[in-house]
Amino acid sequence: MTEWVSISTGAKPVPRPVATPLVWAAASGGAVLLVALLNALVGQNRPSLALAALSLLAALLGLRARFTAAPGTAVLCWFFLNGFAIPPAGTVTWAGERDTFWLTCLFTAVLLGTALARLHYARAAYRRVTTGIDAVSSTRPTRRI
């Protein structure tokens, strides 16, 4: 007869964040692909759609990144948004209010993704610790006087 047993009986460690250069490489590659796909499907005159898509990408990258990777991730996404999602393609320009808003949106998305991941991991770790404490306290024999 086969008996199924759990191999991992110990506490699970909190996942370590991905190295910052790897997050930045993923941001560059993902932003290039995303902007190219959006340009092919809807054209270049839709920067709000590109901003929303890149913000979602930034938030997803933030789920596995360190907080220190947030500024670089936001700037890389902004670079591809500014350089290739609006005409003239290939030219990076600075329009004060617009680009400040875009950078703020992208930076906020990365920070929100990272903060949500940290809260999720902290909550899961807390549950594991409190469940372990409850299990230990319930197995102790009680004294009767």
Side-chain angles (χ1 to χ4, degrees):
M1 174 162 51
T2 304
E3 181 180 340
W4 294 95
V5 291
S6 177
I7 294 176
S8 61
T9 57
K12 296 178 189 175
V14 174
R16 295 185 61 164
V18 176
T20 300
L22 190 59
V23 172
W24 289 347
S28 297
V32 165
L33 292 175
L34 198 57
V35 168
L37 181 69
L38 286 172
N39 284 347
L41 294 178
V42 295
Q44 275 188 332
N45 273 343
R46 304 282 305 270
S48 59
L49 181 63
L51 175 64
L54 287 171
S55 294
L56 182 62
L57 172 70
L60 291 174
L61 289 171
L63 291 175
R64 293 298 306 221
R66 291 181 165 89
F67 279 109
T68 56
T73 305
V75 168
L76 286 168
C77 288
W78 168 82
F79 176 76
F80 289 104
L81 173 65
N82 191 335
F84 300 104
I86 59 171
T91 304
V92 178
T93 60
W94 180 262
E97 290 181 19
R98 180 194 71 192
D99 289 321
T100 303
F101 175 72
W102 287 355
L103 277 169
T104 303
C105 286
L106 292 166
F107 185 67
T108 303
V110 176
L111 285 180
L112 281 175
T114 306
L116 286 174
R118 297 297 163 258
L119 286 173
H120 173 73
Y121 295 145
R123 187 172 183 201
Y126 177 76
R127 283 186 186 160
R128 284 192 295 269
V129 169
T130 56
T131 304
I133 290 172
D134 292 342
V136 170
S137 65
S138 66
T139 59
R140 290 187 184 158
T142 57
R143 285 187 182 173
R144 294 191 179 195
I145 299 177

